[in-house]
Amino acid sequence: MKKNRKNLALLLLAASLLAGCAGQSNSQSSQSSQAKSEKKAESKASSKSAAKSAASSAVSSTKSSSSQASSKSAAKSAASSAVSSTKSSSSRASSKSAASSSQRADANRMGTLTSQLRVKLPGMLLPAADGLGQGSSNLNIRYTSSSSQNVVYYSVGNSPLALNDSRIASEKPYAVLTENKNVADASSLINYQEPKTGLPAVKIAGNVTGTEEGAAGSTYLQFNQGQWSFVVRASNVQGQKPLPTAQKLLALYQQYGLPDTAAKSSVQVDVGESLGSLNTVITWAKGSSVYQLKAHSTETAFKMLKSLN
């Protein structure tokens, strides 16, 4: 009986020991499994972190490349703009230089022809400026001379010709300057108009007032300044009005002035300007001579007379 109990106790002890070993084995297995799981999680987290890092690096690299490309593009654009600006400045400078050279050449042509005229017509007053807005490079001059009169014709041709070239006679002059020498009665050539009274008053500009009258299908507007009388004629048939031309005439007089005169002198303008019309006539006395300038443009006439010497 005691032997059986002892054997039973031994069996129970053995079973207990076996159960403990099995539990320990299961615990170790569970710990091992948990460790493996944690390692896998760590491995996945590490992989995700590496992927994120690689992606971030790629994005950063892409941004850097994009920034570099943008910088290069901006640099190229700036360089291109600088080159374009330089070319544009160079082109403008070249154009200005060419225009300046052309102006000098035009001025030299007028100067050259006038110098030759002074030799041919000593003592005659001559303009240094041609008064033109364009065509100066083809300026041509011819003249006639006698004991009582010198006449100079200014024209623009198809090409520049020598002074008094016979071909210039076929060109329409835009201005004609005449010197009548040794004149006994200057008033007979000048046609100065005394201020009118008893006629309708017309305000020209500022405090300058003129008078207006009609005759033979025309309207005449007159005003006086110093030694000068100014008369503007407008055609009623053509529906012309004298006031705008009179206002322009006064403005030109105030801007350029007129030659010094030894007697009362005159300016007569027909409304309308056209090549060869010579609608502006300015007549004045200088010493014993009476000068007259006819021109197709009133402004051209004033510019020429401003440079007279």
Side-chain angles (χ1 to χ4, degrees):
M1 215 32 205
K2 288 180 180 179
K3 188 176 181 180
N4 289 337
R5 288 179 180 172
K6 187 178 182 179
N7 289 336
L8 180 60
L10 289 172
L11 289 170
L12 289 171
L13 179 60
S16 177
L17 289 173
L18 287 172
C21 288
Q24 186 176 0
S25 176
N26 287 337
S27 176
Q28 289 177 348
S29 176
S30 176
Q31 290 176 356
S32 175
S33 176
Q34 184 177 356
K36 287 180 180 180
S37 178
E38 289 176 353
K39 285 183 180 180
K40 285 182 180 180
E42 289 178 358
S43 177
K44 287 181 180 180
S46 177
S47 296
K48 288 181 179 179
S49 177
K52 287 182 179 180
S53 177
S56 176
S57 177
V59 170
S60 177
S61 176
T62 301
K63 288 183 177 179
S64 176
S65 298
S66 176
S67 176
Q68 290 175 355
S70 178
S71 297
K72 288 181 180 178
S73 177
K76 286 182 179 179
S77 178
S80 175
S81 178
V83 170
S84 177
S85 178
T86 301
K87 287 182 178 178
S88 178
S89 297
S90 177
S91 176
R92 288 196 296 267
S94 177
S95 296
K96 287 182 179 179
S97 177
S100 179
S101 297
S102 176
Q103 289 173 354
R104 286 195 298 271
D106 293 346
N108 288 340
R109 177 156 180 77
M110 179 63 176
T112 298
L113 292 173
T114 302
S115 295
Q116 294 172 7
L117 268 178
R118 293 193 191 284
V119 175
K120 304 293 184 180
L121 306 173
M124 181 179 180
L125 291 175
L126 296 169
D130 60 27
L132 295 171
Q134 59 184 4
S136 296
S137 58
N138 288 333
L139 170 70
N140 290 319
I141 298 176
R142 68 183 181 91
Y143 70 93
T144 61
S145 181
S146 69
S147 60
S148 62
Q149 189 181 73
N150 295 325
V151 184
V152 182
Y153 303 84
Y154 297 84
S155 61
V156 175
N158 295 322
S159 61
L161 301 172
L163 178 67
N164 244 26
D165 188 294
S166 59
R167 290 171 289 180
I168 301 175
S170 63
E171 298 175 354
K172 285 186 177 181
Y174 69 85
V176 178
L177 178 62
T178 302
E179 179 191 16
N180 295 286
K181 296 181 283 187
N182 303 314
V183 177
D185 181 14
S187 61
S188 63
L189 296 176
I190 293 176
N191 195 30
Y192 172 83
Q193 299 293 311
E194 293 288 350
K196 300 290 194 305
T197 58
L199 294 172
V202 178
K203 182 177 180 180
I204 309 299
N207 60 353
V208 179
T209 302
T211 57
E212 187 175 87
E213 65 178 328
S218 298
T219 299
Y220 295 84
L221 178 55
Q222 176 187 333
F223 62 95
N224 292 62
Q225 293 286 287
Q227 290 278 82
W228 294 84
S229 67
F230 299 81
V231 177
V232 176
R233 186 188 73 84
S235 170
N236 296 335
V237 177
Q238 297 181 38
Q240 297 172 341
K241 301 296 181 182
L243 182 57
T245 299
Q247 291 171 330
K248 177 183 176 182
L249 181 56
L250 176 61
L252 289 171
Y253 170 68
Q254 293 173 338
Q255 179 180 355
Y256 294 102
L258 284 168
D260 292 335
T261 177
K264 293 180 178 180
S265 301
S266 69
V267 179
Q268 296 173 298
V269 179
D270 285 353
V271 175
E273 296 180 352
S274 59
L275 182 61
S277 63
L278 304 179
N279 282 347
T280 295
V281 181
I282 302 174
T283 314
W284 73 101
K286 183 68 174 179
S288 62
S289 295
V290 172
Y291 285 86
Q292 184 179 81
L293 178 66
K294 295 181 178 180
H296 81 283
S297 162
T298 306
E299 185 170 3
T300 294
F302 274 86
K303 287 179 177 179
M304 293 179 75
L305 293 181
K306 178 69 175 179
S307 67
L308 201 68
N309 62 71

Tab-separated table of all heavy atoms in Angstrom, residues 6 25 50 54 67 70 88 134 139 179 200 249 274 281:
chain	number	residue	atom	x	y	z
A	6	LYS	N	3.719	5.746	-2.819
A	6	LYS	CA	5.008	6.326	-3.216
A	6	LYS	C	5.102	6.412	-4.715
A	6	LYS	O	5.523	7.428	-5.286
A	6	LYS	CB	6.123	5.504	-2.626
A	6	LYS	CG	7.505	6.138	-2.845
A	6	LYS	CD	8.557	5.286	-2.185
A	6	LYS	CE	9.938	5.944	-2.347
A	6	LYS	NZ	11.026	5.164	-1.704
A	25	SER	N	8.207	25.663	-22.162
A	25	SER	CA	8.450	25.567	-23.602
A	25	SER	C	7.461	26.423	-24.358
A	25	SER	O	7.827	27.142	-25.302
A	25	SER	CB	8.332	24.110	-24.034
A	25	SER	OG	8.465	24.014	-25.435
A	50	ALA	N	12.346	53.990	-44.545
A	50	ALA	CA	13.318	54.102	-45.652
A	50	ALA	C	12.627	54.561	-46.929
A	50	ALA	O	13.151	55.392	-47.692
A	50	ALA	CB	13.992	52.739	-45.870
A	54	ALA	N	13.352	57.846	-48.888
A	54	ALA	CA	13.719	57.817	-50.312
A	54	ALA	C	12.793	58.714	-51.121
A	54	ALA	O	13.236	59.467	-52.002
A	54	ALA	CB	13.637	56.371	-50.836
A	67	SER	N	14.311	73.750	-59.393
A	67	SER	CA	14.819	75.077	-59.018
A	67	SER	C	16.018	75.442	-59.869
A	67	SER	O	16.154	76.556	-60.352
A	67	SER	CB	15.196	75.084	-57.540
A	67	SER	OG	15.761	76.317	-57.173
A	70	SER	N	14.801	76.197	-63.270
A	70	SER	CA	14.172	77.511	-63.272
A	70	SER	C	15.214	78.610	-63.232
A	70	SER	O	15.114	79.607	-63.924
A	70	SER	CB	13.232	77.631	-62.075
A	70	SER	OG	12.647	78.908	-62.038
A	88	SER	N	18.813	96.707	-79.103
A	88	SER	CA	17.851	97.788	-79.312
A	88	SER	C	18.505	99.147	-79.113
A	88	SER	O	18.307	100.061	-79.897
A	88	SER	CB	16.684	97.624	-78.330
A	88	SER	OG	15.763	98.671	-78.482
A	134	GLN	N	11.150	118.463	-95.039
A	134	GLN	CA	11.750	117.298	-95.686
A	134	GLN	C	12.183	117.669	-97.102
A	134	GLN	O	11.746	118.678	-97.651
A	134	GLN	CB	10.756	116.134	-95.745
A	134	GLN	CG	9.472	116.451	-96.500
A	134	GLN	CD	8.473	115.300	-96.458
A	134	GLN	OE1	8.695	114.289	-95.813
A	134	GLN	NE2	7.367	115.466	-97.161
A	139	LEU	N	17.622	119.722	-102.295
A	139	LEU	CA	17.430	121.152	-102.475
A	139	LEU	C	18.217	121.644	-103.690
A	139	LEU	O	19.380	121.286	-103.875
A	139	LEU	CB	17.930	121.898	-101.228
A	139	LEU	CG	18.023	123.423	-101.345
A	139	LEU	CD1	16.636	124.036	-101.407
A	139	LEU	CD2	18.835	124.006	-100.190
A	179	GLU	N	15.299	140.740	-104.652
A	179	GLU	CA	15.844	142.012	-104.185
A	179	GLU	C	15.697	143.044	-105.292
A	179	GLU	O	16.267	142.890	-106.382
A	179	GLU	CB	17.320	141.887	-103.819
A	179	GLU	CG	17.916	143.218	-103.356
A	179	GLU	CD	19.433	143.210	-103.236
A	179	GLU	OE1	20.072	142.291	-103.794
A	179	GLU	OE2	19.974	144.130	-102.601
A	200	PRO	N	-16.295	145.736	-89.000
A	200	PRO	CA	-16.489	144.793	-87.895
A	200	PRO	C	-15.147	144.341	-87.310
A	200	PRO	O	-14.215	143.999	-88.038
A	200	PRO	CB	-17.219	143.621	-88.561
A	200	PRO	CG	-17.881	144.216	-89.758
A	200	PRO	CD	-16.964	145.288	-90.246
A	249	LEU	N	-0.929	132.907	-88.479
A	249	LEU	CA	-0.002	133.950	-88.924
A	249	LEU	C	0.521	134.762	-87.736
A	249	LEU	O	1.725	135.029	-87.633
A	249	LEU	CB	-0.718	134.861	-89.927
A	249	LEU	CG	0.074	136.016	-90.539
A	249	LEU	CD1	1.330	135.514	-91.223
A	249	LEU	CD2	-0.806	136.791	-91.522
A	274	SER	N	-0.304	125.107	-101.264
A	274	SER	CA	-0.028	124.021	-102.201
A	274	SER	C	1.285	124.319	-102.903
A	274	SER	O	1.688	125.482	-103.038
A	274	SER	CB	-1.158	123.871	-103.232
A	274	SER	OG	-1.323	125.065	-103.970
A	281	VAL	N	3.177	136.176	-99.189
A	281	VAL	CA	4.029	137.216	-99.771
A	281	VAL	C	4.432	138.190	-98.660
A	281	VAL	O	3.567	138.855	-98.063
A	281	VAL	CB	3.312	137.982	-100.903
A	281	VAL	CG1	4.251	139.030	-101.498
A	281	VAL	CG2	2.821	137.012	-101.980
